[in-house]
């Protein structure tokens, strides 16, 4: 497929994400021509609808039962969820999905089932998010 637009951002520093909090991605931002990033660096808005490939990685400082998922307009996209299972501890949460998005849909990366807060690793990348418009 042909890439029409792309956005990318990372959080390379240690950060504590609150219970069910959004992951801020303030660094190394590659802003697409039709994808904008909110001032708090937690929400990416696609100005033009289409099929998007969205991928994320989260690295924690220790194995946790925490999960990660994408939100679209504040609603969880369950097919994007990884972890969040009490019997499964992970230190790396990663997924890639295809989403059909509408004009002005907003994408966020959320950590959930996070009762104590999660410290992100500072090296090489605590968290990253990539959004690619394919059609």
């Amino acid at each position: 497929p042909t890439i029409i637009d792309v956005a990318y951002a990372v959080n390379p520093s240690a950060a504590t994400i609150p219970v069910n909090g959004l992951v801020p991605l303030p660094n190394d931002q590659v802003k697409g021509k039709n994808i904008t990033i909110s001032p708090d660096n937690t929400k990416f808005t696609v100005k033009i609808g289409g099929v998007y490939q969205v991928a994320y990685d989260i690295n924690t400082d220790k194995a946790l039962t925490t999960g990660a998922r994408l939100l679209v307009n504040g609603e969880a996209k369950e097919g994007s969820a990884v972890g969040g299972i009490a019997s499964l501890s992970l230190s790396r949460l990663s997924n890639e999905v295809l989403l059909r998005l509408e004009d002005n849909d907003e994408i966020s990366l959320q950590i959930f089932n996070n009762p104590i807060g999660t410290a992100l690793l500072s090296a090489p990348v605590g968290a990253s998010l990539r959004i690619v418009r394919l059609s």
Side-chain angles (χ1 to χ4, degrees):
T2 302
I3 294 175
I4 298 172
D5 204 357
V6 66
Y8 176 80
V10 302
N11 185 331
S13 59
T16 300
I17 308 300
V19 174
N20 295 328
L22 300 181
V23 178
L25 299 154
N27 298 93
D28 299 330
Q29 292 180 344
V30 174
K31 298 177 184 180
K33 57 184 180 183
N34 290 302
I35 303 171
T36 60
I37 304 172
S38 65
D40 68 355
N41 300 300
T42 62
K43 299 176 183 86
F44 292 70
T45 301
V46 299
K47 298 295 183 190
I48 298 173
V51 175
Y52 286 79
Q53 181 182 38
V54 184
Y56 65 84
D57 287 293
I58 296 175
N59 298 296
T60 62
D61 65 342
K62 59 186 170 283
L64 300 167
T65 58
T66 295
R69 63 185 168 206
L70 297 169
L71 303 180
V72 175
N73 302 323
E75 297 293 320
K77 287 295 185 181
E78 295 306 329
S80 71
V82 172
I85 302 168
S87 62
L88 178 64
S89 293
L90 300 170
S91 60
R92 182 165 190 260
L93 303 164
S94 178
N95 203 354
E96 183 174 311
V97 296
L98 290 177
L99 298 174
R100 185 171 304 282
L101 301 173
E102 302 299 325
D103 292 359
N104 300 309
D105 274 355
E106 193 175 78
I107 300 168
S108 300
L109 178 57
Q110 181 189 45
I111 291 180
F112 67 98
N113 284 357
N114 181 24
I116 60 171
T118 301
L120 299 178
L121 289 180
S122 58
V125 173
S128 68
L129 177 68
R130 182 181 74 239
I131 302 168
V132 178
R133 182 173 168 223
L134 301 175
S135 73

